[in-house]
Amino acid sequence: MFRIILETDEGKQLEEMHEENNVNYLPREEEGFFILGELSVHSYDVFSCKDMDQLQLELERLRKILIHQDDITHINELIVLSEKCKSITGSRLIFTPF
């Protein structure tokens, strides 16, 4: 399971979310998934507010592939979180399996 954490550049945690099975569909090895293609189940990955446009494109693409409503709901919530990240200068999203 990935925990996704929104935090400021000073390291203050603003929000956190997770979904039990998101490790099964968030990491993507297909072409065109530049950010989701970097996710690792062995380390944490950090993406800045400047990466959010690309992340949102990938999440929207992923949402069209998914079948289960819980997974789609999680992606929708993650898109909202990425929008918050984009609106807070210097913030970042952290994807961590720990």
Side-chain angles (χ1 to χ4, degrees), residues 70-81:
D70 289 344
D71 300 343
I72 294 168
T73 299
H74 182 59
I75 295 300
N76 289 337
E77 293 168 348
L78 186 49
I79 290 171
V80 170
L81 192 63

Side-chain angles (χ1 to χ4, degrees), residues 44-80:
Y44 67 93
D45 296 286
V46 180
F47 303 101
S48 77
C49 58
K50 295 176 184 176
D51 296 319
M52 293 303 107
D53 286 335
Q54 179 62 39
L55 178 60
Q56 288 173 346
L57 289 173
E58 293 180 27
L59 290 171
E60 289 170 9
R61 183 174 165 207
L62 177 58
R63 182 174 53 192
K64 293 175 184 174
I65 298 170
L66 296 174
I67 297 170
H68 300 289
Q69 186 57 45
D70 289 344
D71 300 343
I72 294 168
T73 299
H74 182 59
I75 295 300
N76 289 337
E77 293 168 348
L78 186 49
I79 290 171
V80 170

Side-chain angles (χ1 to χ4, degrees), residues 25-41:
Y25 56 83
L26 280 178
R28 307 306 295 187
E29 294 184 10
E30 300 96 309
E31 187 174 324
F33 287 101
F34 304 104
I35 291 179
L36 296 178
E38 292 182 26
L39 295 182
S40 170
V41 295

